[in-house]
Amino acid sequence: MSKNYVIGFPRIGEKRELKKVLESFWAGDVDFGEVEYVASELKKRHWSYQKKAKVEYISSNDFSYYDNMLDTTILLGAIPKRFQDLEGHEQYFAMARGNKDAVAMEMTKWFNTNYHYIVPEISKDTKFELNSKKVINEFKQAKEHGVNTKINLIGPITYLGLSKSVDNSDTFLHINSVVEQYTKLLEEISSLEENITIQFDEPLFVKDLDSKVLSLIKPAYDKLANVSANIKIAVATYFEHSNEATKILVNTPIWALALDFVYGEKNFDILEDIQASNKVLIAGVVDGRNVWKSNIAKKVKLLEDISKVVNKDNILVSTSCSLLHVPFTLEYEIALDSDIKSWLSFAKEKLVELKLISKLFFKQELTLEDKSSLKSNEEDNKSREESTKIHNKKVQDEILSLKLVQREDAFEDRIKAQREFFKYDDLTTTTIGSFPQTPEIRKNRRDYKTGTILKDEYESNIKDYIDDCISFQESIGLDVLVHGEPERNDMVEYFGELLDGFAFTKNAWVQSYGSRCVKPPLIFGDVSRENPMTVEWIKYAQSKTKKVVKGMLTGPVTILNWSFVRDDKPRNEVAKQIGLAIAKEVDDLQNAGIKMIQVDEAAFKEGYPLRKENISTYEKWAVDNFKLSVSKSKIDTQIHTHMCYSEFNDIIKTIEAMDADVISIETARSGNELLKIFKEVGYKQEVGPGIYDIHSPRVPSVEEMVNQIDALLEVLPKEQLWINPDCGLKTRKWPEVKQSLENMVKAVNIVRENRK
Ligand code: GLN
Ligand code: ZN
């Protein structure tokens, strides 16, 4: 018997079949039966893949039509009132996406991944009532398909810990009722089959938990593990170590602990406790979050190190987390550079790695095929270590000899010089960068890529769009203009395509939420910028107006956080190379006469570590690399940055340390309450708190925006304030954008007039 374990498998389908059928269903083109059919075929296929790879512990209930947390809300019957009159898939999708009567439930990031879950809504009156249908059906379906699965469930503590309270009550008040529902579920499950494994996912345990939450663990798992002798319980954590919880769990009657040894090195510190408890250790050694081929020999060594403490018979070999976070398979990457392809491994390929690692670790006999896979693994890893595609001496030397790592002048001197140079007014109006991405500009990019049109035509279409953007902005009287970003499909991909060290795939989609997938760039090697990336477009825009045009770049931390990053170099060093590349672009822009430059850090906060103990290290290098990216800017070159979220309280000092001259932020949806923190800490630099929400098509009235600006002025002085929408306008339609911005400028004029 093989001793391999997979925490979970992606469900969207290797050709995004689930996405496609869901979207056709939502559009009314197919009925729900079709969705069910596709889903069932996908599940069967995914089980077969794992079975073929000799995975012993294959999951059921890792499938979902939309999201596993949402499934858990249905499982536990915690349906918010506004959806209680609906049923079945109508209710399910209304909760996920809203309907004409009810707004959707909130969605938020799953820990530090780019997956988003539907946030449960709990109040003190929430009543839980088990609905076991999906869980039981999936198990039975797998069994009919010849696979005896373990059953994946979100653990009770993680479920409640990630819920939001709608009445400020403590969501953990419900721990007993939730455990009660799970108890009933386990009773039901125990009659299905002999010896069933349940995996409770408790990733909340990798966070810094207070003693109250820790105190819930033992009673919950004592109870659950005692429901039936026929059920073995594994508690799975991932993305970090979970030592505080493990210390408690070893004293409960659970069967196994699944721990992450790729992103949770400190899990090593708890091995003795596990050994003493004689529990099974599911050792997550194959990276479930990144796309690089495992170095099989190193993984076997890692397992051997673990087995110096934990009895080998008690070890299962596993993925570090669900493979949901990596793309499906390399099979369709026919256009990818063959060297790069040989360094990669996606979900399906990782199953084979797992098999090989465990065979070697458990000293099982290798087949000829295994031997040849092992040999290519060695060769591929060696080629990756030595390839000149990856290792660029010039970049490395340049990084080593870096002298200037931040701007030379202090903010006080810079802002004086800048105000003198630009002569801008208080309450200066601007936008965040992008204007609507119309079907025409998308087609223009697509046609150019596929060779349907030539460069001249492509460029002239872009220029037409820029012309329109500039003349529109002038016509409504905006102060600082932008070119509108018509050449960019995405703020990271655009730069990745122009930088060395990045690769792009055809089909490496990863589920982001519901039917939405993203295809992150791969940073495989040393990053460098050979040629300017944005200068021509911005210069063109500037040539069309006497007003200031703001240059538009994406910052190093955001580029890093939205890519699959090489694992043979620390992230901070990769970010440094990107920072240096951006610094060159900033310099080229200012030398071309573009003196106001925005370096977006939309994803700065997304990179925050899960554990407090690691935060200061991240903040330090993230700030340093942002500062490096703008280090070449002269005293009167004004650096803007933009961030897309509104929770600033805990990171305000870090934002200040980034030392941008102007920051635009998202506050529109949260009012000016959030701005108070800027005042409290005595934030000096200039701030553009978004004065309206671009995430909705609604056009805000002039009066509304006057009130909003007045409210901002109660917190910060007019000299410090810029006026802008709260994010880029690319997802909006032109009519809304025109009206909204016109109203915004009118509102500023009224406020300026009133204050004279
Ligand atoms: N400059 C980008 C835009 O306007 C910023 C996008 C973002 O913040 N996500 O689209
Ligand atoms: Zn934004």
Side-chain angles (χ1 to χ4, degrees), residues 432-434 485 491 552 562 598 600 602 642 644 727-730:
I432 307 303
S434 57
E485 305 182 17
M491 63 189 290
M552 201 52 63
W562 281 344
Q598 180 172 312
D600 287 324
H642 164 72
C644 299
C727 195
L729 299 164
K730 63 169 167 249

Side-chain angles (χ1 to χ4, degrees), residues 470-485:
I470 297 289
S471 65
F472 160 66
Q473 295 173 84
E474 282 192 329
S475 76
I476 60 164
L478 269 167
D479 300 317
V480 170
L481 314 190
V482 296
H483 79 298
E485 305 182 17

Side-chain angles (χ1 to χ4, degrees), residues 431-435 437 482 484-485 488 490-491 551-554 558 562 598-603 642-645 664 666 695 726-731:
T431 63
I432 307 303
S434 57
F435 274 117
Q437 289 270 322
V482 296
E485 305 182 17
R488 306 182 191 177
D490 175 275
M491 63 189 290
M552 201 52 63
L553 304 172
T554 303
T558 296
W562 281 344
Q598 180 172 312
V599 181
D600 287 324
E601 282 293 16
H642 164 72
M643 292 191 180
C644 299
Y645 29 79
S664 60
E666 178 184 315
H695 305 86
D726 74 345
C727 195
L729 299 164
K730 63 169 167 249
T731 55

Side-chain angles (χ1 to χ4, degrees), residues 404-432:
L404 193 64
V405 291
Q406 60 177 32
R407 303 179 74 176
E408 285 175 324
D409 307 287
F411 172 71
E412 288 76 4
D413 303 325
R414 294 188 324 244
I415 200 73
K416 232 168 96 202
Q418 291 162 16
R419 285 213 166 227
E420 239 157 64
F421 180 82
F422 292 108
K423 301 197 175 35
Y424 59 82
D425 209 348
D426 299 333
L427 304 179
T428 303
T429 54
T430 190
T431 63
I432 307 303

